[in-house]
Amino acid sequence: MVETAAATASNNGVREARRSPAAHLAGTFEAASLAGVAEIKEIPFQTMAGIRVQRDSDAGARIAQVAGGLPATCGEVVERDGVSVLWLGPAEFLVIAPENAHESLGGDLLPALTEALGDGQGQVVDLSANRTVFELSGTRARDVLEKGCSLDLHPRSFKAGTALSTEIGHIPAILWKSGEDTFQVLPRASFADFLGRWLVDGMREFASPEVP
Amino acid sequence: MLLISCPNCGPRDETEFHYGGQAHVAYPEDPYALNDREWAEYLFYRDNTKGAYAERWVHSTGCRQWFNMLRDTVSYEIQAVYPMGTPAPGGSAPGTTANTAQAPEGASK
Ligand SMILES: [Zn+2]
C-alpha cells in the first residue's frame, strides 16, 4: 500500500498542489524554536475521519476492527499501526492517520471505515482538511500551554498518551499529549494562523537568550 | 469561576460550558392547541428562583453533550449533576414538578 501511495502521490500532483493552513508560518515557527526547550512545527495534511457511532453497536464493533479500537473514556487514545483514535464524546471519535492513508494519495482508510459502518447508525466523515496539527515540544512546552489553557496540565493529572478537547488561547482545540514533553495541538484550519502566532508569542520568553 | 463536573469529562472550568436555561420545560403535547399567550409563556417565561434551580448545561468545548444541573442561585453551590430526561434529585426544585420529566425533543443530541 505504501508503495502504491508513494507512486500515486508523485504522479497525480495532489501533494504539490496542497497548501497547509499554517504554511506561511513555517519560517516564523523555525525562528521561534529553541531545540529541546520550546519547539513548534506544523504537521500538515494528516488524514482525519470524524466518526459517530455507538461503541457497543455492531457498527461500532466493525469500525473498531478497522480503526484499531474505539476509546471508552474521556482522554483515552487508541493507537495501532500509526492510526490513532481519539475520544471526543461518548459516541464521537476522531481517527488520525498519516497523510498517505487518504485515498487522494492511494490510501484506503476512509472507504474502509465507511464500509465498516455499512447501514449501521452513525457517520464517517472525511475531516482531513478540518484541522491542522501543531507539534509543540520541549521542556517548557507545558509552560507555554498553561498561559492559555485551563486544564490541569501537570503530569500527575495529564498523562502522555491522552487527548482532551479544550480551549487554548480562547481557541477550541484538541490537545493531545503524545510524549512526556510533546503536545499535538489541533485547531481548526481557520484558527491555525491565530493560534500559531499565539503559541509563538507564548514561546518567546523561553526561547530567548537569558538576560543576565 | 465555577468548576463544573461534566458527567463525561470530569471537572472543567465554567468557560468550557454554555448555559441552556431552565431544565424540565416540557414541549407542549399539542402546540396547535395553545393560544398566543400560552405559546409565549412556553417560549419565554421561566422561573426566577432564589435557591435550588434545575437548569441545562452543555459542555461545548469538551464532549458537546447536554446534562442537567441543580444549582443554588444564591450560593452558586452545585448540588447535583444528572442526565437529560431524568427528574431532578429531590424533586422539589422549581420546574421539576408534574408533567416535566421529559426534556424537549433533541435536547440531548
Ligand atoms: Zn464533557
Side-chain angles (χ1 to χ4, degrees):
Chain A
M1 193 192 90
V2 175
E3 282 159 31
T4 330
T8 316
S10 58
N11 293 343
N12 66 9
V14 165
R15 186 65 176 82
E16 293 69 29
R18 282 182 176 158
R19 201 153 52 90
S20 72
H24 60 293
L25 294 179
T28 310
F29 283 176
E30 207 182 322
S33 295
L34 183 63
V37 178
E39 293 175 78
I40 186 171
K41 65 177 182 200
E42 185 187 19
I43 306 176
F45 311 130
Q46 299 290 286
T47 302
M48 298 189 202
I51 292 184
R52 277 181 180 255
V53 74
Q54 294 291 339
R55 282 184 80 248
D56 55 5
S57 66
D58 291 344
R62 290 196 300 271
I63 285 180
Q65 287 235 318
V66 174
L70 293 177
T73 57
C74 179
E76 192 183 337
V77 178
V78 173
E79 290 187 81
R80 190 185 73 186
D81 304 334
V83 178
S84 305
V85 189
L86 278 57
W87 186 98
L88 296 185
E92 187 178 8
F93 311 93
L94 183 66
V95 179
I96 306 178
E99 185 181 2
N100 63 10
H102 196 270
E103 57 264 38
S104 63
L105 298 180
D108 63 353
L109 180 65
L110 280 144
L113 289 169
T114 308
E115 195 190 333
L117 177 65
D119 56 4
Q121 270 203 353
Q123 62 182 36
V124 173
V125 182
D126 185 354
L127 295 180
S128 304
N130 183 31
R131 296 175 187 270
T132 191
V133 181
F134 294 145
E135 186 177 272
L136 181 69
S137 59
T139 50
R140 307 310 295 266
R142 171 160 73 97
D143 301 276
V144 175
L145 292 168
E146 279 175 346
K147 293 180 181 190
C149 180
S150 68
L151 293 176
D152 182 2
L153 299 181
H154 192 281
R156 82 181 151 234
S157 152
F158 192 40
K159 303 235 179 334
T162 56
L164 297 172
S165 294
T166 185
E167 283 184 357
I168 299 166
H170 301 297
I171 301 302
I174 297 170
L175 180 62
W176 176 12
K177 187 173 179 180
S178 53
E180 281 311 323
D181 281 329
T182 309
F183 299 87
Q184 317 278 329
V185 182
L186 286 75
R188 293 206 170 84
S190 55
F191 290 121
D193 176 76
F194 177 88
L195 188 58
R197 293 179 195 276
W198 189 93
L199 290 168
V200 163
D201 192 40
M203 289 162 62
R204 192 157 291 145
E205 64 169 307
F206 305 118
S208 304
E210 203 164 321
V211 179
Chain B
M1 173 83 72
L2 292 178
L3 191 63
I4 299 176
S5 275
C6 169
N8 296 304
C9 309
R12 299 284 184 95
D13 273 5
E14 179 187 352
T15 49
E16 294 197 358
F17 297 82
H18 277 97
Y19 185 62
Q22 182 175 351
H24 311 296
V25 179
Y27 191 77
E29 260 179 47
D30 182 7
Y32 295 100
L34 269 53
N35 62 32
D36 286 354
R37 181 187 182 88
E38 290 164 335
W39 182 245
E41 284 182 356
Y42 160 68
L43 282 183
F44 304 118
Y45 283 60
R46 297 293 181 264
D47 295 332
N48 186 17
T49 306
K50 189 177 180 182
Y53 191 48
E55 51 198 17
R56 303 185 299 175
W57 287 80
V58 62
H59 191 190
S60 352
T61 59
C63 59
R64 302 199 283 174
Q65 303 294 303
W66 285 90
F67 57 91
N68 288 326
M69 196 159 100
L70 200 60
R71 182 181 64 93
D72 191 301
T73 56
V74 180
S75 67
Y76 284 70
E77 184 201 355
I78 297 167
Q79 300 172 346
V81 170
Y82 57 102
M84 301 301 289
T86 58
S92 58
T96 62
T97 48
N99 56 345
T100 52
Q102 283 302 313
E105 182 66 46
S108 64
K109 295 281 166 6

